[in-house]
């Protein structure tokens, strides 16, 4: 996923923007698309706000057949949290009886920078929709995720410029027996990303999420430390796709990864947006590609020198 563009597909369905009240657009079958409900984040008098648009959506669409919802912008998302959105979705659970997937916060930087999006406690959605299979969240500011139990969730994606340690601990401390795909954008401490590999302990130990097969620990300013922790993590033995992309991965972290447990069982390893030397890139390929592992080493970065001897490396997505 990228924060530079709106989602084009979600839960295996093409995303369709539910139109404004004055638009004359033929609506697709309710179960053939992921419905995107969005309103201007910088609204003018007379604009239809998110709650009004959602209410009209519920009146217009065959809600019992809706499979996936994408929440885009809401009024002043940089000041107003997603709490009212969550409440509205919960209040519609008796109508959205087939809902299997929700993405909360599909905004680009023009709508609201990722680290400015004000989220809230999103876990009541899981209680309200016990059949939910996929949950995606963009934005870590004010995000709350206490440990929860949900027997149906298969995919959880949290995209942030900085993911708080308490949220990380809540996620990895949750009881999600069906979870197959977990993707966390850990971010940088400048935007609240204060977690460490120790906060990931239950996940890395393999004691959480017995069905997990795809793991992404992405966009981290401490990607070397994450890679070192992953190198010896028992959970990796059953992972099919490992994603350590978008972060500040250097030769140190890549060497630790290669010197740890074997990774030749992986189908795919994503290290894109990295700070690896050409020699280390070749070492990674030589160790894994002959064993059938697809390795993504695209988007190589160069450290920036401020001219005073300070060298800077950046995650792919921060503000």
């Amino acid at each position: 996923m990228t924060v530079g563009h709106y989602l084009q597909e979600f839960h295996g369905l093409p995303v369709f923007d539910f139109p404004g009240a004055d638009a004359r657009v033929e609506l697709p079958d309710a179960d053939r698309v992921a419905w995107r409900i969005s309103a201007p984040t910088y609204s003018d008098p007379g604009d239809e706000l998110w709650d009004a648009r959602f209410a009209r959506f519920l009146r217009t669409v065959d809600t019992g057949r809706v499979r996936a919802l994408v929440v885009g912008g809401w009024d002043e998302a940089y000041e107003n949290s997603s709490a009212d959105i969550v409440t509205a979705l919960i209040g519609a659970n008796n109508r959205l009886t087939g809902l299997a997937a929700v993405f909360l916060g599909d905004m680009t930087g023009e709508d609201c920078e990722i680290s400015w999006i004000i989220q809230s406690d999103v876990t009541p959605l899981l209680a309200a929709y016990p059949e939910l299979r996929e949950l995606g969240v963009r934005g870590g500011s004010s995000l709350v995720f206490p440990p929860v139990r949900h027997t149906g969730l298969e995919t959880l994606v949290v995209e942030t410029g900085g993911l708080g340690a308490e949220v990380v601990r809540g996620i990895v401390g949750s009881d999600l027996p069906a979870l197959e795909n977990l993707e966390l954008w850990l971010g940088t401490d400048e935007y609240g990303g204060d977690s460490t590999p120790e906060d990931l302990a239950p996940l890395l130990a393999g004691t959480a999420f017995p069905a997990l097969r795809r793991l992404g620990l992405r966009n981290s300013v401490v990607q070397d430390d994450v890679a070192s922790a992953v190198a010896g993590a028992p959970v990796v033995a059953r992972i099919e796709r490992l994603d350590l992309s978008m972060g500040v991965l250097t030769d140190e972290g890549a060497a630790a990864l290669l010197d740890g447990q074997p990774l030749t069982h992986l189908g795919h390893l994503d290290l894109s947006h990295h700070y690896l030397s050409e020699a280390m890139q070749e070492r990674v390929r030589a160790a894994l590609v002959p064993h059938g592992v697809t390795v993504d080493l695209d988007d190589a970065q160069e450290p920036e020198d401020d001219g005073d001897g300070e060298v800077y490396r950046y995650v792919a997505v921060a503000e």
Side-chain angles (χ1 to χ4, degrees), residues 108-318:
T108 68
E110 292 186 1
D111 301 313
C112 186
E113 299 287 358
I114 187 171
S115 292
W116 297 4
I117 299 172
I118 309 298
Q119 287 288 356
S120 61
D121 186 349
V122 299
T123 56
L125 287 171
L126 297 174
Y129 292 93
E131 301 303 317
L132 203 68
R133 294 291 177 266
E134 182 169 359
L135 176 62
V137 180
R138 180 172 296 164
S141 181
S142 298
L143 179 63
V144 177
F145 201 111
V148 294
R149 173 172 170 77
H150 191 282
T151 59
L153 195 68
E154 297 171 354
T155 295
L156 175 61
V157 176
V158 183
E159 303 175 353
T160 78
L163 190 58
E166 186 173 354
V167 176
V168 172
R169 290 192 293 268
I171 291 172
V172 304
S174 292
D175 185 2
L176 306 172
L179 193 70
E180 299 176 356
N181 179 30
L182 176 65
E183 181 179 323
L184 304 178
W185 294 18
L186 301 172
T188 171
D189 52 0
E190 293 179 355
Y191 293 99
D194 59 353
S195 69
T196 67
E198 287 73 22
D199 297 310
L200 297 164
L203 166 65
L204 298 178
T207 55
F209 317 141
L212 194 68
R213 296 296 180 269
R214 298 180 296 279
L215 175 61
L217 300 173
R218 310 177 70 191
N219 200 50
S220 177
V221 72
V222 293
Q223 202 75 58
D224 282 349
D225 293 339
V226 172
S228 295
V230 166
V235 70
V236 174
R238 54 184 167 85
I239 296 299
E240 298 169 356
R241 296 178 65 90
L242 179 61
D243 189 341
L244 301 177
S245 66
M246 298 175 61
V248 183
L249 183 69
T250 71
D251 284 7
E252 179 182 349
L257 197 62
L258 292 179
D259 293 341
Q261 64 190 297
L263 300 175
T264 52
H265 67 287
L266 293 175
H268 183 77
L269 174 65
D270 192 342
L271 302 179
S272 57
H273 183 96
H274 60 81
Y275 290 85
L276 305 186
S277 65
E278 291 187 6
M280 181 55 72
Q281 293 180 56
E282 286 306 311
R283 182 182 166 191
V284 171
R285 292 189 185 96
L288 299 176
V289 172
H291 296 277
V293 183
T294 302
V295 179
D296 189 342
L297 286 164
D298 289 348
D299 198 17
Q301 303 290 309
E302 292 291 336
E304 294 185 13
D305 191 328
D306 68 355
D308 294 323
E310 291 288 340
V311 175
Y312 295 94
R313 297 179 177 88
Y314 300 97
V315 298
V317 177

Side-chain angles (χ1 to χ4, degrees), residues 28-109:
D29 292 339
D31 58 354
R32 301 296 295 273
V33 299
W35 294 88
R36 185 173 186 270
I37 316 296
S38 187
T41 53
Y42 298 89
S43 59
D44 294 320
D47 283 343
E48 185 180 41
L49 301 183
W50 193 93
D51 56 349
R53 184 159 297 191
F54 183 59
R56 185 166 55 81
F57 168 79
L58 295 177
R59 295 193 303 268
T60 306
V61 174
D62 184 356
T63 53
R65 296 173 58 200
V66 171
R67 297 163 56 196
L69 277 180
V70 174
V71 175
W74 59 86
D75 185 41
E76 297 183 343
Y78 48 89
E79 291 185 356
N80 298 323
S81 82
S82 63
D84 288 346
I85 311 294
V86 170
T87 298
L89 294 175
I90 292 170
N93 67 344
N94 62 333
R95 302 186 62 183
L96 295 166
T97 53
L99 191 64
V102 173
F103 190 94
L104 187 59
D106 181 35
M107 290 175 254
T108 68

